[in-house]
């Protein structure tokens, strides 16, 4: 089959699909990833086709969210909502231009699905969801934009309320989309009901060991297991990093990916002071925040594959994005989550519930004392390492990409 995978957002919203796409390609399919041009090298390294989305509105959205620290809560919420609506609207033209009407199947991420399903239907191409977060309401847990808590019927109501809000963010984009295609307009809530009523299939790139499939989900929703990013065959570790790892005990990895919870200088100072107080070595990933810390016991690096670096660490401090959370669990190392926004508090709570993290450190209250205490607990209490190792062993037995391949085996144009 000729398959397109359409995804938008940060690197964490793209990397898992390189592994899924590579597995589909190995099964004989022709696979093309549709995403932002800045990720072209990551896609090309996998041997996959690449078609760029013309618009990349998410850097602006992240900049707005990073600047929210200096605004009042109501103003920050307003600016974030406005930027989200603008980002969704910008995706309309981008997806319309990028979707291949001759494709046999279009796979859509969470952010691409509200637009991509309409475009695929217009071209009479089958589509399915490939989501990195659970979106369907359930009593088992609250929606992933809220902090995780126990099972309750209230969770299902909260899930519906959050989805209604998500649909509102796409309302203007949906109007533009239907106008561009010359279609009678259907509301975003109506389109969601249609996806549910037709049992539109969704595979979730999440380990069922980490998040078991809720028993009250409708048919067609699958918890397949993780899709691991495909590491470029040409990659090799920087000599300076390899020498640092060999020169002493396993360090702590500190990185926040595309998040900017504090100015780089302030965040770097917190990290350095915490590592010194905990008596630990550190590897700091610069990320979008531009962190830079360098001493005899701390090294700063750029992008390094998680599957190579994380197993060589004593613990990982991260923002608890879906992909980074998965990578840490795969590596079998304790976590210190510092969530910033969207689904990150949800995943952070899950890490604590799984017994691999001593607690959640909200970014607003992060300081060197709290971080040092959490690092000391994570690296000296053997229960976290033991539980992380057990989870990693269970996850290693799963085949998330294979589950999708087998599930799609019956699809045809």
């Amino acid at each position: 089959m000729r398959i397109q995978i359409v995804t938008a957002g940060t690197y964490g919203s793209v990397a898992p699909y390189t592994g899924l796409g590579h597995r589909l390609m190995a099964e004989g399919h022709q696979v093309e990833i549709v995403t932002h041009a800045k990720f072209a090298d990551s896609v090309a390294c996998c041997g996959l086709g690449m078609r760029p989305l013309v618009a990349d509105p998410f850097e602006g959205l992240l900049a707005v969210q990073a600047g929210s620290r200096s605004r009042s809560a109501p103003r920050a919420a307003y600016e974030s909502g406005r930027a989200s609506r603008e980002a969704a609207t910008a995706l309309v033209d981008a997806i319309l231009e990028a979707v291949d009407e001759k494709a046999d199947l279009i796979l859509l991420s969470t952010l691409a699905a509200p637009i991509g399903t309409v475009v695929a239907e217009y071209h009479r191409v089958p589509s399915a969801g490939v989501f990195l977060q659970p979106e369907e309401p359930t009593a088992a847990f609250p929606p992933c934009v809220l902090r995780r808590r126990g099972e309750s019927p209230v969770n299902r109501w909260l899930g519906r309320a959050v989805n209604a809000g998500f649909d509102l963010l796409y309302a203007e984009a949906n109007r533009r989309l239907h106008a561009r295609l010359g279609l009678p307009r259907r509301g975003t809530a109506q389109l969601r009901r249609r996806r549910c009523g037709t049992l539109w299939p969704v595979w979730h790139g999440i380990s069922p060991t980490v998040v078991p499939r809720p028993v009250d989900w409708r048919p067609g929703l699958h918890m397949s297991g993780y899709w691991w990013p495909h590491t470029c065959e040409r990659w090799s570790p920087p000599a300076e990093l390899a020498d640092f790892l060999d020169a002493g005990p396993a360090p702590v990895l500190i990185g926040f990916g595309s998040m900017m919870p504090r100015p780089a200088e302030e965040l770097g100072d917190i990290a350095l002071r915490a590592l010194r107080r905990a008596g630990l070595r550190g590897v700091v990933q610069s990320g979008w925040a531009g962190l830079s810390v360098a001493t005899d016991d701390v090294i700063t690096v750029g992008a390094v594959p998680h599957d190579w670096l994380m197993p060589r660490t004593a613990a990982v401090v991260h923002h608890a994005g879906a992909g980074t959370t998965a990578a840490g669990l795969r590596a079998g190392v304790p976590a210190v989550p510092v969530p910033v926004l969207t689904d990150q508090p949800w995943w952070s709570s899950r890490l604590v519930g799984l017994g691999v993290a001593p607690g959640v450190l909200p970014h607003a209250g992060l300081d060197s004392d709290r971080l040092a205490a959490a690092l000391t607990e994570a690296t000296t209490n053997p229960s976290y390492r033991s539980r992380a190792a057990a989870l990693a062993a269970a996850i290693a037995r799963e085949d998330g990409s294979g589950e999708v391949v087998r599930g799609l085996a019956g699809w045809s144009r």
Side-chain angles (χ1 to χ4, degrees):
M1 286 194 292
R2 187 172 180 174
I3 300 174
Q4 277 193 317
I5 302 175
V6 185
T7 184
T10 65
Y11 178 74
S13 304
V14 176
Y17 299 112
T18 64
L20 176 60
H22 195 268
R23 177 62 178 272
L24 288 166
M25 186 175 66
E27 296 291 330
H29 301 293
Q30 181 181 343
V31 184
E32 180 178 70
I33 293 186
V34 178
T35 192
H36 311 300
K38 63 187 175 186
F39 301 126
D41 289 345
S42 299
V43 174
C45 265
C46 306
L48 299 168
M50 163 76 183
R51 187 173 299 201
L53 289 173
V54 176
D56 183 0
F58 291 93
E59 286 192 14
L61 175 59
L62 288 171
V64 168
Q65 291 169 332
S68 64
R69 293 185 301 270
S70 60
R71 306 187 187 102
S72 65
R75 181 67 181 177
Y78 171 79
E79 292 290 343
S80 180
R82 177 188 56 78
S84 297
R85 290 190 295 272
E86 290 176 353
T89 303
L91 278 179
V92 170
D93 292 340
I95 292 177
L96 278 173
E97 291 182 28
V99 162
D100 181 3
E101 62 185 74
K102 296 181 180 179
D104 298 302
L105 176 64
I106 297 174
L107 300 177
L108 299 160
S109 71
T110 307
L111 294 179
I115 297 166
T117 49
V118 176
V119 177
E121 182 183 10
Y122 177 80
H123 291 306
R124 298 182 180 179
V125 177
S127 68
V130 280
F131 292 177
L132 300 178
Q133 298 88 6
E135 183 194 54
E136 184 74 9
T138 173
F141 45 75
C144 64
V145 296
L146 301 178
R147 187 175 298 278
R148 192 179 173 99
R149 59 181 218 176
E151 184 172 355
S152 168
V154 175
N155 291 334
R156 191 182 297 108
W157 179 87
L158 289 171
R160 292 177 183 138
V162 166
N163 282 350
F166 184 77
D167 290 341
L168 282 175
L169 293 177
Y170 276 80
E172 178 57 35
N174 188 52
R175 285 191 288 271
R176 180 180 179 86
L177 174 62
H178 282 73
R180 281 286 311 272
L181 294 175
L183 296 173
R185 191 174 71 83
R186 296 164 292 177
T188 50
Q190 180 183 355
L191 291 170
R192 181 181 293 276
R193 289 193 297 270
R194 174 178 168 78
R195 292 196 297 271
C196 182
T198 59
L199 303 183
W200 189 66
V202 179
W203 281 268
H204 297 81
I206 304 169
S207 167
T209 300
V210 176
V211 182
R213 184 189 186 279
V215 296
D216 58 354
W217 267 8
R218 66 165 173 83
L221 302 177
H222 314 279
M223 202 70 79
S224 70
Y226 289 124
W227 312 317
W228 302 117
H230 184 75
T231 301
C232 182
E233 284 80 1
R234 299 193 304 270
W235 185 85
S236 60
E240 183 182 10
L241 175 59
D243 290 344
F244 179 83
L245 293 172
D246 290 340
V252 168
L253 173 62
I254 300 177
F256 298 96
S258 58
M259 297 295 103
M260 295 173 277
R262 298 284 181 87
E265 185 176 350
E266 180 183 352
L267 195 57
D269 183 65
I270 290 173
L272 179 58
R273 290 175 180 272
L275 289 168
R276 284 176 173 169
R277 286 175 181 162
L280 295 164
R281 302 200 313 149
V283 174
V284 174
Q285 283 198 297
S286 56
W288 285 22
L291 296 182
S292 180
V293 182
T295 67
D296 290 343
D297 290 328
V298 183
I299 186 175
T300 298
V301 298
V304 178
H306 285 157
D307 65 331
W308 183 88
L309 180 55
M310 283 188 177
R312 293 169 165 81
T313 65
V316 181
V317 180
H318 60 75
H319 58 294
T324 309
T325 296
L329 291 169
R330 182 190 195 187
V333 294
V336 177
V338 184
V340 180
L341 48 83
T342 58
D343 60 331
Q344 295 161 15
W346 194 91
W347 288 113
S348 297
S349 298
R350 187 64 186 134
L351 288 172
V352 174
L354 290 168
V356 300
V360 179
L361 296 181
H363 73 92
L366 183 66
D367 60 31
S368 57
D369 288 337
R370 291 187 177 92
L371 182 55
L375 285 173
T376 299
E377 177 68 11
T379 56
T380 60
N381 187 329
S383 67
Y384 299 113
R385 170 71 66 167
S386 174
R387 183 58 182 152
L391 280 169
I395 291 169
R397 293 190 289 269
E398 298 169 358
D399 180 15
S401 294
E403 285 294 314
V404 179
V405 168
R406 290 184 284 274
L408 295 177
W411 282 78
S412 63
R413 180 67 185 260

